[in-house]
Short mmCIF file of all heavy atoms in Angstrom, two decimals:
data_model
loop_
_atom_site.label_atom_id
_atom_site.label_comp_id
_atom_site.label_asym_id
_atom_site.label_seq_id
_atom_site.Cartn_x
_atom_site.Cartn_y
_atom_site.Cartn_z
N MET A 23 54.76 13.32 -99.84
CA MET A 23 56.10 13.87 -99.87
C MET A 23 56.33 14.62 -98.56
O MET A 23 55.44 15.31 -98.08
CB MET A 23 56.21 14.80 -101.07
CG MET A 23 57.53 15.49 -101.24
SD MET A 23 58.94 14.50 -101.75
CE MET A 23 58.38 13.78 -103.26
N ASN A 24 57.51 14.50 -98.01
CA ASN A 24 57.84 15.24 -96.80
C ASN A 24 59.09 16.10 -97.06
O ASN A 24 59.76 15.95 -98.08
CB ASN A 24 58.03 14.30 -95.60
CG ASN A 24 59.19 13.35 -95.81
OD1 ASN A 24 60.24 13.71 -96.31
ND2 ASN A 24 59.01 12.11 -95.41
N TRP A 25 59.35 16.99 -96.14
CA TRP A 25 60.44 17.94 -96.35
C TRP A 25 61.79 17.26 -96.40
O TRP A 25 62.69 17.69 -97.14
CB TRP A 25 60.41 19.04 -95.28
CG TRP A 25 61.22 20.20 -95.75
CD1 TRP A 25 62.49 20.52 -95.39
CD2 TRP A 25 60.83 21.15 -96.73
NE1 TRP A 25 62.91 21.63 -96.08
CE2 TRP A 25 61.91 22.04 -96.92
CE3 TRP A 25 59.68 21.35 -97.48
CZ2 TRP A 25 61.86 23.10 -97.81
CZ3 TRP A 25 59.63 22.41 -98.36
CH2 TRP A 25 60.72 23.27 -98.52
N GLU A 26 61.99 16.19 -95.67
CA GLU A 26 63.27 15.47 -95.71
C GLU A 26 63.54 14.92 -97.11
O GLU A 26 64.68 14.94 -97.58
CB GLU A 26 63.30 14.35 -94.66
CG GLU A 26 63.35 14.86 -93.24
CD GLU A 26 64.52 15.81 -92.99
OE1 GLU A 26 65.67 15.51 -93.39
OE2 GLU A 26 64.28 16.87 -92.39
N SER A 27 62.50 14.45 -97.78
CA SER A 27 62.66 13.97 -99.15
C SER A 27 63.02 15.11 -100.10
O SER A 27 63.84 14.94 -101.01
CB SER A 27 61.36 13.30 -99.64
OG SER A 27 61.06 12.18 -98.85
N ILE A 28 62.42 16.25 -99.87
CA ILE A 28 62.73 17.42 -100.70
C ILE A 28 64.19 17.84 -100.47
O ILE A 28 64.92 18.09 -101.43
CB ILE A 28 61.76 18.57 -100.38
CG1 ILE A 28 60.35 18.19 -100.85
CG2 ILE A 28 62.22 19.88 -101.02
CD1 ILE A 28 59.25 19.11 -100.39
N LYS A 29 64.62 17.88 -99.22
CA LYS A 29 66.00 18.25 -98.93
C LYS A 29 66.99 17.26 -99.52
O LYS A 29 68.07 17.65 -99.95
CB LYS A 29 66.21 18.35 -97.42
CG LYS A 29 65.65 19.62 -96.82
CD LYS A 29 65.85 19.69 -95.33
CE LYS A 29 67.30 19.88 -94.98
NZ LYS A 29 67.51 20.14 -93.56
N ALA A 30 66.62 15.97 -99.56
CA ALA A 30 67.51 14.94 -100.08
C ALA A 30 67.80 15.12 -101.57
O ALA A 30 68.86 14.73 -102.06
CB ALA A 30 66.93 13.56 -99.81
N ASP A 31 66.86 15.71 -102.29
CA ASP A 31 67.03 15.94 -103.73
C ASP A 31 66.83 17.44 -104.01
O ASP A 31 66.04 17.83 -104.87
CB ASP A 31 66.04 15.09 -104.52
CG ASP A 31 66.41 14.95 -105.97
OD1 ASP A 31 67.47 15.50 -106.39
OD2 ASP A 31 65.66 14.31 -106.72
N TRP A 32 67.56 18.26 -103.25
CA TRP A 32 67.35 19.70 -103.26
C TRP A 32 67.49 20.33 -104.65
O TRP A 32 66.71 21.19 -105.02
CB TRP A 32 68.28 20.39 -102.28
CG TRP A 32 67.98 21.84 -102.19
CD1 TRP A 32 68.71 22.87 -102.68
CD2 TRP A 32 66.81 22.42 -101.62
NE1 TRP A 32 68.08 24.06 -102.44
CE2 TRP A 32 66.90 23.81 -101.78
CE3 TRP A 32 65.68 21.91 -100.97
CZ2 TRP A 32 65.93 24.68 -101.33
CZ3 TRP A 32 64.71 22.77 -100.53
CH2 TRP A 32 64.84 24.14 -100.71
N GLU A 33 68.48 19.93 -105.41
CA GLU A 33 68.69 20.54 -106.73
C GLU A 33 67.45 20.40 -107.59
O GLU A 33 67.02 21.35 -108.24
CB GLU A 33 69.89 19.90 -107.42
CG GLU A 33 71.22 20.26 -106.81
CD GLU A 33 71.51 21.75 -106.85
OE1 GLU A 33 71.26 22.38 -107.89
OE2 GLU A 33 71.99 22.27 -105.84
N ARG A 34 66.89 19.24 -107.60
CA ARG A 34 65.68 18.99 -108.40
C ARG A 34 64.51 19.83 -107.91
O ARG A 34 63.84 20.51 -108.69
CB ARG A 34 65.32 17.51 -108.33
CG ARG A 34 64.04 17.17 -109.03
CD ARG A 34 63.76 15.69 -108.91
NE ARG A 34 62.44 15.38 -109.45
CZ ARG A 34 61.77 14.33 -109.12
NH1 ARG A 34 62.26 13.46 -108.27
NH2 ARG A 34 60.59 14.11 -109.64
N TYR A 35 64.25 19.79 -106.62
CA TYR A 35 63.08 20.47 -106.09
C TYR A 35 63.23 21.98 -106.03
O TYR A 35 62.24 22.70 -106.15
CB TYR A 35 62.68 19.88 -104.73
CG TYR A 35 62.18 18.48 -104.88
CD1 TYR A 35 62.84 17.41 -104.30
CD2 TYR A 35 61.05 18.20 -105.63
CE1 TYR A 35 62.38 16.11 -104.45
CE2 TYR A 35 60.58 16.91 -105.80
CZ TYR A 35 61.26 15.87 -105.21
OH TYR A 35 60.81 14.58 -105.37
N SER A 36 64.44 22.47 -105.86
CA SER A 36 64.61 23.92 -105.86
C SER A 36 64.32 24.49 -107.24
O SER A 36 63.76 25.59 -107.35
CB SER A 36 66.00 24.32 -105.37
OG SER A 36 67.01 23.87 -106.25
N SER A 37 64.62 23.74 -108.28
CA SER A 37 64.26 24.22 -109.63
C SER A 37 62.75 24.19 -109.82
O SER A 37 62.19 25.07 -110.48
CB SER A 37 64.98 23.42 -110.71
OG SER A 37 64.52 22.09 -110.76
N HIS A 38 62.07 23.21 -109.21
CA HIS A 38 60.61 23.18 -109.23
C HIS A 38 60.04 24.41 -108.52
O HIS A 38 59.06 25.00 -108.98
CB HIS A 38 60.07 21.93 -108.53
CG HIS A 38 60.20 20.68 -109.32
ND1 HIS A 38 59.39 19.60 -109.11
CD2 HIS A 38 61.04 20.32 -110.32
CE1 HIS A 38 59.73 18.63 -109.93
NE2 HIS A 38 60.74 19.04 -110.67
N MET A 39 60.65 24.77 -107.39
CA MET A 39 60.20 25.94 -106.64
C MET A 39 60.37 27.20 -107.48
O MET A 39 59.49 28.05 -107.52
CB MET A 39 61.00 26.10 -105.35
CG MET A 39 60.65 25.12 -104.28
SD MET A 39 61.70 25.42 -102.84
CE MET A 39 61.96 23.74 -102.34
N GLN A 40 61.51 27.28 -108.16
CA GLN A 40 61.77 28.46 -109.00
C GLN A 40 60.75 28.54 -110.14
O GLN A 40 60.29 29.63 -110.48
CB GLN A 40 63.19 28.39 -109.57
CG GLN A 40 63.62 29.65 -110.26
CD GLN A 40 63.85 30.78 -109.30
OE1 GLN A 40 64.58 30.62 -108.33
NE2 GLN A 40 63.26 31.93 -109.54
N ASP A 41 60.39 27.39 -110.71
CA ASP A 41 59.36 27.37 -111.76
C ASP A 41 58.01 27.77 -111.20
O ASP A 41 57.26 28.52 -111.83
CB ASP A 41 59.25 25.98 -112.39
CG ASP A 41 60.46 25.61 -113.23
OD1 ASP A 41 61.23 26.51 -113.60
OD2 ASP A 41 60.63 24.41 -113.49
N ARG A 42 57.67 27.29 -110.03
CA ARG A 42 56.37 27.55 -109.42
C ARG A 42 56.25 28.98 -108.91
O ARG A 42 55.23 29.63 -109.09
CB ARG A 42 56.14 26.55 -108.28
CG ARG A 42 54.91 26.79 -107.43
CD ARG A 42 53.63 26.62 -108.24
NE ARG A 42 52.46 26.89 -107.45
CZ ARG A 42 51.88 28.09 -107.33
NH1 ARG A 42 52.39 29.12 -107.95
NH2 ARG A 42 50.81 28.25 -106.59
N TRP A 43 57.30 29.44 -108.26
CA TRP A 43 57.31 30.79 -107.69
C TRP A 43 58.50 31.54 -108.28
O TRP A 43 59.57 31.64 -107.68
CB TRP A 43 57.42 30.74 -106.17
CG TRP A 43 56.27 30.07 -105.52
CD1 TRP A 43 55.00 30.57 -105.41
CD2 TRP A 43 56.24 28.78 -104.90
NE1 TRP A 43 54.20 29.67 -104.76
CE2 TRP A 43 54.93 28.56 -104.43
CE3 TRP A 43 57.20 27.79 -104.69
CZ2 TRP A 43 54.56 27.39 -103.77
CZ3 TRP A 43 56.84 26.63 -104.05
CH2 TRP A 43 55.53 26.44 -103.59
N GLY A 44 58.30 32.10 -109.46
CA GLY A 44 59.37 32.75 -110.20
C GLY A 44 60.00 33.96 -109.53
O GLY A 44 61.09 34.37 -109.89
N ARG A 45 59.32 34.53 -108.55
CA ARG A 45 59.87 35.69 -107.86
C ARG A 45 60.90 35.32 -106.79
O ARG A 45 61.58 36.20 -106.26
CB ARG A 45 58.75 36.49 -107.19
CG ARG A 45 57.80 37.11 -108.17
CD ARG A 45 56.75 37.92 -107.45
NE ARG A 45 55.70 38.36 -108.36
CZ ARG A 45 54.59 38.94 -107.96
NH1 ARG A 45 54.38 39.16 -106.68
NH2 ARG A 45 53.69 39.29 -108.84
N LEU A 46 61.01 34.03 -106.46
CA LEU A 46 61.98 33.63 -105.44
C LEU A 46 63.39 33.81 -105.98
O LEU A 46 63.71 33.44 -107.10
CB LEU A 46 61.77 32.17 -105.04
CG LEU A 46 60.47 31.83 -104.32
CD1 LEU A 46 60.44 30.34 -103.97
CD2 LEU A 46 60.26 32.67 -103.08
N THR A 47 64.24 34.37 -105.13
CA THR A 47 65.64 34.59 -105.50
C THR A 47 66.47 33.38 -105.07
O THR A 47 66.00 32.51 -104.34
CB THR A 47 66.17 35.84 -104.79
OG1 THR A 47 66.17 35.59 -103.37
CG2 THR A 47 65.33 37.07 -105.11
N ASP A 48 67.72 33.37 -105.51
CA ASP A 48 68.63 32.31 -105.06
C ASP A 48 68.79 32.36 -103.55
O ASP A 48 68.89 31.31 -102.90
CB ASP A 48 69.99 32.45 -105.74
CG ASP A 48 69.96 32.11 -107.22
OD1 ASP A 48 69.01 31.40 -107.65
OD2 ASP A 48 70.86 32.55 -107.95
N GLU A 49 68.80 33.55 -102.99
CA GLU A 49 68.89 33.70 -101.54
C GLU A 49 67.66 33.09 -100.85
O GLU A 49 67.78 32.42 -99.84
CB GLU A 49 69.03 35.17 -101.17
CG GLU A 49 69.25 35.41 -99.70
CD GLU A 49 69.46 36.89 -99.40
OE1 GLU A 49 70.25 37.54 -100.10
OE2 GLU A 49 68.80 37.37 -98.46
N ASP A 50 66.48 33.33 -101.43
CA ASP A 50 65.26 32.75 -100.89
C ASP A 50 65.34 31.22 -100.91
O ASP A 50 64.96 30.56 -99.94
CB ASP A 50 64.03 33.17 -101.71
CG ASP A 50 63.70 34.65 -101.59
OD1 ASP A 50 64.01 35.26 -100.54
OD2 ASP A 50 63.12 35.19 -102.55
N LEU A 51 65.83 30.68 -102.01
CA LEU A 51 65.92 29.23 -102.13
C LEU A 51 66.91 28.66 -101.13
O LEU A 51 66.67 27.58 -100.56
CB LEU A 51 66.28 28.82 -103.55
CG LEU A 51 65.20 29.14 -104.59
CD1 LEU A 51 65.73 28.83 -105.99
CD2 LEU A 51 63.92 28.37 -104.32
N SER A 52 68.00 29.36 -100.89
CA SER A 52 68.96 28.91 -99.87
C SER A 52 68.31 28.91 -98.49
O SER A 52 68.48 27.96 -97.72
CB SER A 52 70.19 29.81 -99.85
OG SER A 52 70.93 29.65 -101.03
N LEU A 53 67.57 29.95 -98.20
CA LEU A 53 66.86 30.03 -96.92
C LEU A 53 65.80 28.93 -96.84
O LEU A 53 65.64 28.28 -95.80
CB LEU A 53 66.22 31.40 -96.76
CG LEU A 53 65.41 31.63 -95.49
CD1 LEU A 53 66.29 31.48 -94.25
CD2 LEU A 53 64.78 33.01 -95.52
N ALA A 54 65.08 28.70 -97.92
CA ALA A 54 64.01 27.70 -97.94
C ALA A 54 64.52 26.30 -97.65
O ALA A 54 63.79 25.46 -97.15
CB ALA A 54 63.28 27.72 -99.28
N GLN A 55 65.78 26.07 -97.94
CA GLN A 55 66.35 24.74 -97.70
C GLN A 55 66.31 24.38 -96.22
O GLN A 55 66.32 23.21 -95.87
CB GLN A 55 67.78 24.68 -98.23
CG GLN A 55 68.35 23.29 -98.29
CD GLN A 55 69.67 23.24 -99.04
OE1 GLN A 55 70.23 24.25 -99.40
NE2 GLN A 55 70.15 22.04 -99.26
N THR A 56 66.19 25.36 -95.36
CA THR A 56 66.16 25.09 -93.92
C THR A 56 64.84 24.51 -93.46
O THR A 56 64.77 23.94 -92.37
CB THR A 56 66.48 26.35 -93.09
OG1 THR A 56 65.45 27.32 -93.30
CG2 THR A 56 67.82 26.94 -93.47
N GLY A 57 63.79 24.66 -94.26
CA GLY A 57 62.53 24.04 -93.88
C GLY A 57 61.31 24.66 -94.54
O GLY A 57 61.38 25.72 -95.17
N ARG A 58 60.21 23.98 -94.38
CA ARG A 58 58.94 24.39 -94.97
C ARG A 58 58.53 25.78 -94.53
O ARG A 58 58.08 26.61 -95.33
CB ARG A 58 57.85 23.38 -94.60
CG ARG A 58 56.47 23.76 -95.07
CD ARG A 58 55.39 22.91 -94.38
NE ARG A 58 54.09 23.50 -94.55
CZ ARG A 58 53.58 24.47 -93.81
NH1 ARG A 58 54.27 24.99 -92.82
NH2 ARG A 58 52.36 24.94 -94.05
N ASN A 59 58.68 26.08 -93.23
CA ASN A 59 58.29 27.39 -92.72
C ASN A 59 59.08 28.51 -93.38
O ASN A 59 58.55 29.60 -93.62
CB ASN A 59 58.43 27.46 -91.21
CG ASN A 59 57.35 26.67 -90.50
OD1 ASN A 59 56.27 26.47 -91.04
ND2 ASN A 59 57.65 26.20 -89.31
N ALA A 60 60.35 28.26 -93.67
CA ALA A 60 61.17 29.26 -94.35
C ALA A 60 60.65 29.49 -95.77
O ALA A 60 60.57 30.63 -96.23
CB ALA A 60 62.62 28.83 -94.38
N LEU A 61 60.28 28.42 -96.47
CA LEU A 61 59.72 28.56 -97.80
C LEU A 61 58.42 29.34 -97.76
O LEU A 61 58.18 30.25 -98.57
CB LEU A 61 59.50 27.20 -98.47
CG LEU A 61 58.81 27.23 -99.84
CD1 LEU A 61 59.58 28.09 -100.84
CD2 LEU A 61 58.61 25.82 -100.36
N VAL A 62 57.57 29.02 -96.79
CA VAL A 62 56.31 29.75 -96.63
C VAL A 62 56.60 31.24 -96.44
O VAL A 62 55.96 32.09 -97.06
CB VAL A 62 55.48 29.19 -95.45
CG1 VAL A 62 54.32 30.11 -95.10
CG2 VAL A 62 54.98 27.79 -95.77
N GLY A 63 57.55 31.56 -95.60
CA GLY A 63 57.90 32.96 -95.35
C GLY A 63 58.40 33.66 -96.60
O GLY A 63 58.05 34.82 -96.87
N CYS A 64 59.19 32.97 -97.41
CA CYS A 64 59.70 33.56 -98.65
C CYS A 64 58.56 33.79 -99.64
O CYS A 64 58.50 34.86 -100.27
CB CYS A 64 60.75 32.65 -99.27
SG CYS A 64 62.29 32.56 -98.33
N VAL A 65 57.67 32.82 -99.78
CA VAL A 65 56.53 32.98 -100.68
C VAL A 65 55.65 34.12 -100.20
O VAL A 65 55.22 34.98 -100.99
CB VAL A 65 55.73 31.66 -100.81
CG1 VAL A 65 54.42 31.87 -101.54
CG2 VAL A 65 56.58 30.59 -101.50
N GLN A 66 55.40 34.17 -98.92
CA GLN A 66 54.58 35.23 -98.34
C GLN A 66 55.19 36.60 -98.63
O GLN A 66 54.50 37.53 -99.07
CB GLN A 66 54.45 35.03 -96.83
CG GLN A 66 53.67 36.11 -96.14
CD GLN A 66 53.67 35.95 -94.62
OE1 GLN A 66 54.40 35.12 -94.07
NE2 GLN A 66 52.89 36.74 -93.95
N SER A 67 56.47 36.72 -98.42
CA SER A 67 57.16 37.99 -98.61
C SER A 67 57.20 38.42 -100.08
O SER A 67 56.88 39.56 -100.41
CB SER A 67 58.58 37.88 -98.05
OG SER A 67 59.31 39.03 -98.32
N ARG A 68 57.60 37.51 -100.95
CA ARG A 68 57.77 37.86 -102.37
C ARG A 68 56.45 38.16 -103.07
O ARG A 68 56.41 38.93 -104.02
CB ARG A 68 58.49 36.75 -103.12
CG ARG A 68 59.92 36.58 -102.75
CD ARG A 68 60.76 37.74 -103.20
NE ARG A 68 62.10 37.60 -102.64
CZ ARG A 68 62.92 38.59 -102.47
NH1 ARG A 68 62.57 39.80 -102.82
NH2 ARG A 68 64.10 38.39 -101.94
N TYR A 69 55.38 37.51 -102.61
CA TYR A 69 54.10 37.69 -103.28
C TYR A 69 53.13 38.58 -102.51
O TYR A 69 52.03 38.85 -102.99
CB TYR A 69 53.47 36.32 -103.58
CG TYR A 69 54.20 35.65 -104.72
CD1 TYR A 69 55.31 34.86 -104.47
CD2 TYR A 69 53.81 35.84 -106.03
CE1 TYR A 69 56.02 34.28 -105.51
CE2 TYR A 69 54.50 35.26 -107.08
CZ TYR A 69 55.61 34.48 -106.81
OH TYR A 69 56.30 33.91 -107.85
N GLY A 70 53.55 39.04 -101.33
CA GLY A 70 52.72 39.96 -100.56
C GLY A 70 51.37 39.38 -100.19
O GLY A 70 50.35 40.06 -100.29
N ILE A 71 51.37 38.11 -99.75
CA ILE A 71 50.12 37.45 -99.40
C ILE A 71 50.13 37.09 -97.92
O ILE A 71 51.17 37.10 -97.26
CB ILE A 71 49.89 36.18 -100.26
CG1 ILE A 71 51.04 35.17 -100.09
CG2 ILE A 71 49.70 36.57 -101.72
CD1 ILE A 71 50.84 33.87 -100.87
N GLU A 72 48.96 36.78 -97.40
CA GLU A 72 48.82 36.37 -96.00
C GLU A 72 49.51 35.02 -95.77
O GLU A 72 49.60 34.19 -96.68
CB GLU A 72 47.34 36.25 -95.63
CG GLU A 72 46.57 37.55 -95.72
CD GLU A 72 47.02 38.56 -94.68
OE1 GLU A 72 47.37 38.15 -93.56
OE2 GLU A 72 47.02 39.76 -95.00
N ARG A 73 49.98 34.81 -94.55
CA ARG A 73 50.71 33.59 -94.24
C ARG A 73 49.87 32.34 -94.50
O ARG A 73 50.38 31.37 -95.05
CB ARG A 73 51.21 33.60 -92.80
CG ARG A 73 52.04 32.36 -92.49
CD ARG A 73 52.96 32.56 -91.35
NE ARG A 73 53.81 31.40 -91.17
CZ ARG A 73 55.00 31.24 -91.73
NH1 ARG A 73 55.51 32.19 -92.48
NH2 ARG A 73 55.71 30.15 -91.51
N ASP A 74 48.59 32.36 -94.13
CA ASP A 74 47.77 31.16 -94.32
C ASP A 74 47.63 30.82 -95.81
O ASP A 74 47.63 29.65 -96.18
CB ASP A 74 46.41 31.28 -93.64
CG ASP A 74 45.54 32.37 -94.22
OD1 ASP A 74 46.06 33.42 -94.63
OD2 ASP A 74 44.31 32.17 -94.24
N LEU A 75 47.57 31.82 -96.67
CA LEU A 75 47.50 31.57 -98.11
C LEU A 75 48.83 31.02 -98.61
O LEU A 75 48.85 30.06 -99.40
CB LEU A 75 47.12 32.84 -98.86
CG LEU A 75 46.99 32.71 -100.38
CD1 LEU A 75 45.96 31.65 -100.76
CD2 LEU A 75 46.63 34.06 -100.99
N ALA A 76 49.93 31.57 -98.15
CA ALA A 76 51.25 31.06 -98.53
C ALA A 76 51.40 29.61 -98.09
O ALA A 76 51.93 28.77 -98.83
CB ALA A 76 52.35 31.93 -97.94
N GLU A 77 50.92 29.29 -96.88
CA GLU A 77 50.99 27.90 -96.40
C GLU A 77 50.18 26.97 -97.28
O GLU A 77 50.62 25.86 -97.60
CB GLU A 77 50.49 27.82 -94.96
CG GLU A 77 51.45 28.41 -93.96
CD GLU A 77 50.94 28.39 -92.54
OE1 GLU A 77 49.71 28.25 -92.32
OE2 GLU A 77 51.77 28.51 -91.63
N ARG A 78 49.01 27.41 -97.70
CA ARG A 78 48.18 26.57 -98.57
C ARG A 78 48.87 26.34 -99.91
O ARG A 78 48.86 25.22 -100.44
CB ARG A 78 46.80 27.19 -98.77
CG ARG A 78 45.92 27.08 -97.54
CD ARG A 78 44.46 27.35 -97.83
NE ARG A 78 44.20 28.61 -98.49
CZ ARG A 78 43.83 29.73 -97.88
NH1 ARG A 78 43.70 29.75 -96.56
NH2 ARG A 78 43.60 30.83 -98.56
N HIS A 79 49.48 27.39 -100.46
CA HIS A 79 50.20 27.24 -101.73
C HIS A 79 51.36 26.25 -101.60
O HIS A 79 51.54 25.37 -102.44
CB HIS A 79 50.75 28.59 -102.21
CG HIS A 79 49.73 29.48 -102.82
ND1 HIS A 79 49.19 29.26 -104.07
CD2 HIS A 79 49.14 30.60 -102.36
CE1 HIS A 79 48.33 30.20 -104.36
NE2 HIS A 79 48.26 31.03 -103.32
N VAL A 80 52.14 26.40 -100.54
CA VAL A 80 53.29 25.51 -100.33
C VAL A 80 52.82 24.08 -100.09
O VAL A 80 53.36 23.13 -100.67
CB VAL A 80 54.18 26.02 -99.17
CG1 VAL A 80 55.21 24.98 -98.77
CG2 VAL A 80 54.86 27.33 -99.57
N ASP A 81 51.79 23.90 -99.26
CA ASP A 81 51.29 22.55 -98.99
C ASP A 81 50.73 21.91 -100.26
O ASP A 81 50.94 20.71 -100.48
CB ASP A 81 50.22 22.57 -97.90
CG ASP A 81 50.83 22.87 -96.53
OD1 ASP A 81 52.06 22.73 -96.36
OD2 ASP A 81 50.05 23.23 -95.61
N HIS A 82 50.05 22.69 -101.08
CA HIS A 82 49.53 22.16 -102.34
C HIS A 82 50.68 21.73 -103.24
O HIS A 82 50.64 20.68 -103.86
CB HIS A 82 48.68 23.22 -103.04
CG HIS A 82 48.11 22.74 -104.33
ND1 HIS A 82 48.72 23.00 -105.54
CD2 HIS A 82 47.02 22.00 -104.60
CE1 HIS A 82 48.01 22.43 -106.50
NE2 HIS A 82 46.97 21.82 -105.95
N TRP A 83 51.73 22.54 -103.30
CA TRP A 83 52.90 22.19 -104.11
C TRP A 83 53.55 20.90 -103.60
O TRP A 83 53.86 20.00 -104.39
CB TRP A 83 53.91 23.34 -104.09
CG TRP A 83 55.18 23.00 -104.79
CD1 TRP A 83 55.39 22.91 -106.14
CD2 TRP A 83 56.43 22.68 -104.17
NE1 TRP A 83 56.69 22.56 -106.39
CE2 TRP A 83 57.35 22.40 -105.20
CE3 TRP A 83 56.85 22.59 -102.86
CZ2 TRP A 83 58.67 22.07 -104.96
CZ3 TRP A 83 58.17 22.25 -102.62
CH2 TRP A 83 59.06 21.99 -103.65
N ILE A 84 53.73 20.78 -102.29
CA ILE A 84 54.33 19.58 -101.71
C ILE A 84 53.48 18.35 -102.03
O ILE A 84 54.00 17.30 -102.42
CB ILE A 84 54.55 19.74 -100.19
CG1 ILE A 84 55.64 20.78 -99.93
CG2 ILE A 84 54.92 18.40 -99.54
CD1 ILE A 84 55.78 21.18 -98.47
N THR A 85 52.18 18.48 -101.88
CA THR A 85 51.26 17.37 -102.18
C THR A 85 51.34 16.97 -103.65
O THR A 85 51.31 15.79 -103.99
CB THR A 85 49.81 17.75 -101.82
OG1 THR A 85 49.76 18.08 -100.43
CG2 THR A 85 48.84 16.62 -102.12
N SER A 86 51.49 17.95 -104.52
CA SER A 86 51.54 17.67 -105.96
C SER A 86 52.80 16.91 -106.37
O SER A 86 52.83 16.29 -107.43
CB SER A 86 51.45 18.96 -106.77
OG SER A 86 52.66 19.69 -106.71
N LEU A 87 53.81 16.91 -105.51
CA LEU A 87 55.05 16.20 -105.82
C LEU A 87 54.87 14.68 -105.70
O LEU A 87 55.69 13.94 -106.20
CB LEU A 87 56.18 16.67 -104.90
CG LEU A 87 56.57 18.13 -105.03
CD1 LEU A 87 57.61 18.48 -103.98
CD2 LEU A 87 57.08 18.44 -106.43
N GLY A 88 53.83 14.28 -105.01
CA GLY A 88 53.55 12.85 -104.89
C GLY A 88 54.03 12.32 -103.63
O GLY A 88 54.29 11.39 -103.15
#
């Protein structure tokens, strides 16, 4: 799965993000639509984790989408 595919079906995947990372706000999800790095930043900020850990979480989620 790549980010362009996620953007193409944003409604579906943004609800997946909300399920996966319940602390993300609607504003975070709007920002995340701009790209993977934005999502990583939102996850990092909301969960107070290091960037490399947030990147691993996001990459694992993207991979799990198929």
Side-chain angles (χ1 to χ4, degrees):
M23 178 71 57
N24 62 41
W25 198 259
E26 290 305 313
S27 298
I28 292 169
K29 283 179 69 172
D31 197 1
W32 186 252
E33 289 299 318
R34 175 180 174 202
Y35 292 116
S36 64
S37 67
H38 285 204
M39 287 179 217
Q40 189 71 52
D41 290 343
R42 173 65 182 90
W43 297 288
R45 295 182 189 172
L46 294 181
T47 65
D48 290 339
E49 185 177 312
D50 292 332
L51 294 174
S52 292
L53 179 61
Q55 192 170 8
T56 64
R58 176 194 165 276
N59 287 334
L61 175 58
V62 168
C64 291
V65 170
Q66 178 186 9
S67 175
R68 291 291 172 203
Y69 287 87
I71 59 177
E72 297 293 325
R73 183 157 185 91
D74 64 325
L75 181 57
E77 287 177 341
R78 287 195 306 263
H79 282 287
V80 169
D81 289 343
H82 180 264
W83 175 75
I84 292 170
T85 301
S86 74
L87 297 175

